[in-house]
Amino acid sequence: MKSGDKLVIVGCGGAGGPAAMLAKKLMPELDVTVIRKEEFFIVR
């Protein structure tokens, strides 16, 4: 991906949170946005 690309992840309770962290770790130039309703990172 090129610099300035954006990734939007909807949901954080299941696989969304870890996916966002892994995407940011693998591609630091990526702009990651997580849309979530939960107050805490893992809700299960």
Side-chain angles (χ1 to χ4, degrees):
M1 300 185 107
K2 60 184 181 230
S3 181
D5 281 349
K6 297 177 191 231
L7 174 67
V8 176
I9 297 177
V10 179
C12 191
M21 292 190 310
L22 183 61
K24 192 64 176 176
K25 183 177 181 182
L26 294 175
M27 297 169 278
E29 69 278 358
L30 192 65
D31 183 23
V32 179
T33 302
V34 178
I35 299 173
R36 64 189 183 103
K37 183 178 179 181
E38 297 89 9
E39 185 175 334
F40 301 103
F41 179 68
I42 300 291
V43 294
R44 297 180 190 191

